[in-house]
Amino acid sequence: MTSDSTLASCASVANQNAAARVDLTPLTTFRTLASAQQLLVLKHHRDLLALPSQLANKVFIVLGSGSNVLFVDDFAGVVVRNALTGMTIVTETAEYADIRLAAGEIWHDSVKKLSQSGFYGLENLALIPGTVGAAPVQNIGAYGVEIADFIQSVEVFDLATAQFVEFSAADCQFAYRHSVFKRHAYRQRYIITAVVLRLHKQFAPVLSYHGLLAAGEPQTPADLLAQVIALRQQKLPDPAVLPNAGSFFKNPAVTHEVLANIQQNYVDVPYFTINATQAKIPAAWLLEQAGFKGHARANGAGVHENHALILVNRGNAHGREIYALACDMMKAVKQQFGIDIVPEVRLVGVTE
Ligand SMILES: Cc1cc2nc3c(=O)[nH]c(=O)nc-3n(C[C@H](O)[C@H](O)[C@H](O)COP(=O)(O)OP(=O)(O)OC[C@H]3O[C@@H](n4cnc5c(N)ncnc54)[C@H](O)[C@@H]3O)c2cc1C
């Protein structure tokens, strides 16, 4: 999906409303009003084996905690909720352990449990909402660390063959907030059932993000975990209190030429260099310049007062209303800077 296709689709949102029955409001952290035709909850591997026939000729979406999804309208299909649980050690040496986590495990609980059990590396990714199974989908990342740094394999159920298959880390083609699992054909075919992570037994903290050092260099994994949690609680709204889906847009990569043009009008534009040809500009900065920080609409759709990248639902906003705001934000950035910003959140009912 390109940002152009997202922008082009802003004008016409498909109305998929067709005798929908299941209330999706509590199933996403945006808590927007939407419904689906059917909900299937996966608790056991045998539940997966029944899926190919249950989903035959039906539109479906796999959902974890719904923290990276916006239902723009009612969903005329089946929601498959992943609730597979379990954590096992696959291999262990003096230096590392390969740990298999079932896809329905809660990510933050797993990070805490593993760190407290002497398996280190994931501390920077603490408090990211959601399930283990969704983590590789967008290659979750925070404070200089990505899940791709630890993935040995991703186990999936193949709906086309009714077989369990393993993807190596290379097969997943991880990139910034991206993997093959975001491709349409993969979404229609594979359900992630487990992730195998290689974690260290020696604590070697990644402290490249300057904010992590503000409270002093962490001496123990517990210190680092506490610092990451405190930092996130201070900076990010708790979706249980103020419904949101975290960063709504990805940070755009631009050429150094585009960056230089922007610098002519905005001398202090923040950026970080990717390589000799490209740099990344924080989408939050672009949106703040475009005047969206703290934006509020009567329908409840809005933008967080401290963070222009976080769209929020301050009332009973419909997915369409959040989406309309997102479209206005994309258009404004395009108009002011000539830059396309692309949603990080999956927009269900727009581009698929
Ligand atoms: C307050 C807040 C802060 C956040 N901070 C960060 C952050 O720092 N870094 C970051 O990377 N993300 C962040 N996010 C985004 C989100 O938490 C992650 O993307 C998370 O991995 C989503 O998990 P989920 O279970 O809620 O997935 P869902 O939202 O349910 O699904 C997300 C996508 O994954 C697919 N999917 C889910 N489970 C499976 C499965 N088992 N098999 C196949 N596909 C599946 C869905 O179809 C969908 O496309 C934040 C979100 C919030 C609300």
Side-chain angles (χ1 to χ4, degrees):
M1 180 181 71
T2 67
S3 56
D4 281 343
S5 69
T6 307
L7 261 179
S9 66
C10 283
S12 58
V13 177
N15 185 350
Q16 299 194 15
N17 194 349
R21 287 192 298 268
V22 181
D23 181 14
L24 295 177
T25 312
L27 299 188
T28 70
T29 58
F30 251 133
R31 296 189 64 84
T32 49
L33 304 171
S35 53
Q37 287 187 338
Q38 194 185 355
L39 174 67
L40 296 174
V41 181
L42 301 176
K43 289 190 179 151
H44 310 283
H45 270 207
R46 64 174 179 273
D47 298 338
L48 287 150
L49 296 172
L51 276 182
S53 58
Q54 287 173 313
L55 297 178
N57 304 317
K58 289 186 180 161
V59 179
F60 71 92
I61 179 172
V62 185
L63 218 54
S65 303
S67 65
N68 206 27
V69 168
L70 175 67
F71 283 94
V72 174
D73 214 323
D74 290 337
F75 183 60
V78 184
V79 169
V80 179
R81 193 129 197 257
N82 200 314
L84 299 167
T85 55
M87 185 186 284
T88 48
I89 297 176
V90 181
T91 318
E92 191 167 6
T93 71
E95 286 84 37
Y96 65 81
D98 289 350
I99 317 264
R100 184 179 176 281
L101 297 167
E105 290 287 345
I106 297 302
W107 174 256
H108 174 64
D109 295 349
S110 306
V111 170
K112 249 186 2 189
K113 192 168 171 183
L114 287 164
S115 185
Q116 287 163 356
S117 306
F119 304 117
Y120 309 126
L122 302 178
E123 290 78 8
N124 295 39
L125 304 178
L127 217 62
I128 296 180
T131 52
V132 165
V137 174
Q138 79 146 354
N139 182 19
I140 58 166
Y143 310 130
V145 172
E146 291 178 337
I147 193 177
D149 304 337
F150 305 94
I151 285 193
Q152 287 299 296
S153 61
V154 174
E155 297 172 12
V156 304
F157 180 70
D158 182 347
L159 288 164
T161 62
Q163 301 286 321
F164 291 92
V165 185
E166 199 174 283
F167 279 56
S168 68
D171 293 336
C172 296
Q173 297 177 29
F174 290 117
Y176 165 61
R177 300 297 175 273
H178 193 74
S179 73
V180 283
F181 301 110
K182 281 199 170 183
R183 291 194 196 146
H184 182 73
Y186 284 68
R187 280 176 171 165
Q188 296 306 109
R189 180 162 178 181
Y190 300 110
I191 295 181
I192 296 171
T193 56
V195 174
V196 177
L197 302 175
R198 177 161 296 180
L199 300 178
H200 316 296
K201 290 190 165 178
Q202 289 290 323
F203 177 53
V206 175
L207 303 171
S208 50
Y209 180 77
H210 59 88
L212 280 180
L213 292 172
E217 187 159 333
Q219 300 302 315
T220 65
D223 286 349
L224 179 56
L225 207 53
Q227 275 172 238
V228 170
I229 291 171
L231 194 62
R232 291 185 71 96
Q233 283 174 335
Q234 185 193 322
K235 287 180 68 166
L236 300 168
D238 177 354
V241 178
L242 180 60
N244 73 87
S247 301
F248 198 92
F249 300 100
K250 295 188 198 183
N251 293 322
V254 299
T255 61
H256 288 291
E257 195 186 342
V258 169
L259 176 64
N261 284 339
I262 294 175
Q263 281 170 325
Q264 286 182 0
N265 295 320
Y266 305 87
V267 277
D268 53 358
V269 52
Y271 69 92
F272 52 95
T273 302
I274 302 174
N275 53 37
T277 53
Q278 286 195 308
K280 229 173 233 182
I281 300 181
W285 181 85
L286 295 166
L287 290 162
E288 194 175 334
Q289 299 305 310
F292 283 101
K293 201 172 181 177
H295 181 84
R297 294 189 171 175
N299 56 31
V303 180
H304 193 260
E305 50 275 12
N306 298 329
H307 212 309
L309 197 51
I310 300 182
L311 277 76
V312 296
N313 176 6
R314 291 198 178 90
N316 289 323
H318 193 280
R320 269 194 301 272
E321 293 160 341
I322 302 274
Y323 178 60
L325 170 57
C327 286
D328 290 346
M329 295 167 86
M330 288 188 281
K331 283 176 197 157
V333 168
K334 179 80 174 171
Q335 211 163 32
Q336 190 167 339
F337 297 99
I339 294 177
D340 291 311
I341 53 169
V342 182
E344 176 185 311
V345 170
R346 180 173 178 183
L347 304 172
V348 185
V350 177
T351 50
E352 45 193 304

